[in-house]
Amino acid sequence: MDYSQHNMVARYEQVELFSRGEYLRRINGVRDIMKQKNVDVALFLECAEETYDHWLTGRRFLDYVIIPADGRCFGVLYSEFDESSCMVSGKADYSRYILQQERYEDPCDEMTFINRLPDEKIADLIASGNPSRIGLVLPDHMNAGLFDALTAKLPKAEFADITLDVALFKAVKSDEEMFAIKQSVKMQRKIFEALPQMIRPGVTPAQVNKEINFYLSELGSSGCVHGMLQNKGNMDTPAIGFAGKDPHIPIGYGDRLFCMLEANGPGHQHVAFGRHFCMGDPSPAFAKSVEIAIKTHSYAVSLMKPDSLTLAQIAVKTRKYCNRLGYTLMERVGWNWMHSLGAYYYEQYSLEDYSEDTPLRSNILLHCHPVTYRTYPEIDPNLREDQMILNTYFITEDGAQDIVGIPLDLIVLH
């Protein structure tokens, strides 16, 4: 067999989930934004929170990503710089080190990975093309050393915040990304459909959670494997906090449970959903609280249409709808109950973040879980308990499309 024709040098592209063309599409999309904003070079200053490192390069743990208007892009690793590989006559030749890295074939043809450099050397790299306008993604993460080095080397250069433009481009899913997302759905559905056999009297949530996360890993989830079953206790007794009872206490008849799966599948693309269970017939009060959570959730989803409302506007309308039903939507700041999902978990669009006032676009993914309150007036009129339904939607021209396909209804176990 002639192995020379089997693309070994190209890092086995046949087993990479995303093609080189997909990574190039993303880089070219950033470059299109740069042209629109008259930007000569783009600097991604925080790669972990919204996984720009993985999105642009297929690799994680990058400190910066640098994209010039043309030519090679650079992924700067977190690791400390090792000068031993680029010593020339007793001095460090950083350009030689960068050239050495080009010998490696990485998932994206446009990207060169380099070890962590001092701020002055990062500034040298950015200034090498003599940019007059530098586009910054997440500029609040710029450290003082890098800022001082850049302004010293490029005193006339302007800075432009291109965060929102890049984030909204990233949020729109390509065909390859949707393929990966659908695989994640299939993986998690298999586990969810097995839950009625896992959840039974005498078994503890800790045992079920161990099974859930084991099978998530077996089916291909990695990076952020998270499946969680919570036992909230007796249907008409207030739960102890958000997590409910100690997970090592066995499940019994009359208990109500909540299971949430929010894991990533191939390509680390996230999908999340959660449903309510009860062991035995539901009490009227518990069934009503789930019904209100479903109605509130469904109302919010009905508003998710492209070029219409923003997430902030949807949140306001959903709160008023919940009030009309005679219930209250959680008012705590920081409870981000609508946001997009990407590689490893979080990305824009996002409520309570910098994209919340931007109208939705087609072909984005939205995770939705408004939290209503169940009350116990017979015990304490001030007592409130969180109640929510989780699901993930793909926004189309016709509105939100449920990509999970599991009914929101309460699941009764006997």
Side-chain angles (χ1 to χ4, degrees), residues 333-351:
V333 174
W335 186 263
N336 180 350
W337 59 266
M338 283 186 292
H339 61 83
S340 188
L341 293 165
Y344 291 95
Y345 192 63
Y346 175 82
E347 68 177 20
Q348 308 297 325
Y349 285 69
S350 180
L351 188 62

Side-chain angles (χ1 to χ4, degrees), residues 204-226:
T204 69
Q207 291 172 315
V208 176
N209 289 337
K210 186 176 180 180
E211 280 194 87
I212 289 172
N213 288 287
F214 170 78
Y215 287 116
L216 282 172
S217 297
E218 286 291 290
L219 290 170
S221 184
S222 63
C224 182
V225 182
H226 186 210

Side-chain angles (χ1 to χ4, degrees), residues 39 41-45 126 134-140 142 147 150 158-164 166:
V39 163
V41 61
L43 174 59
F44 290 73
L45 288 153
I126 295 167
I134 301 171
L136 303 178
V137 176
L138 298 172
D140 289 348
M142 171 94 75
F147 178 79
L150 282 172
E158 297 178 355
F159 294 101
D161 185 350
I162 60 171
T163 302
L164 182 61
V166 174

Side-chain angles (χ1 to χ4, degrees), residues 94-112:
Y94 294 100
S95 62
R96 180 171 179 266
Y97 180 77
I98 292 168
L99 289 173
Q100 284 182 335
Q101 297 307 290
E102 290 184 358
R103 295 178 183 177
Y104 295 94
E105 290 286 342
D106 298 304
C108 177
D109 290 322
E110 296 287 307
M111 191 67 57
T112 294

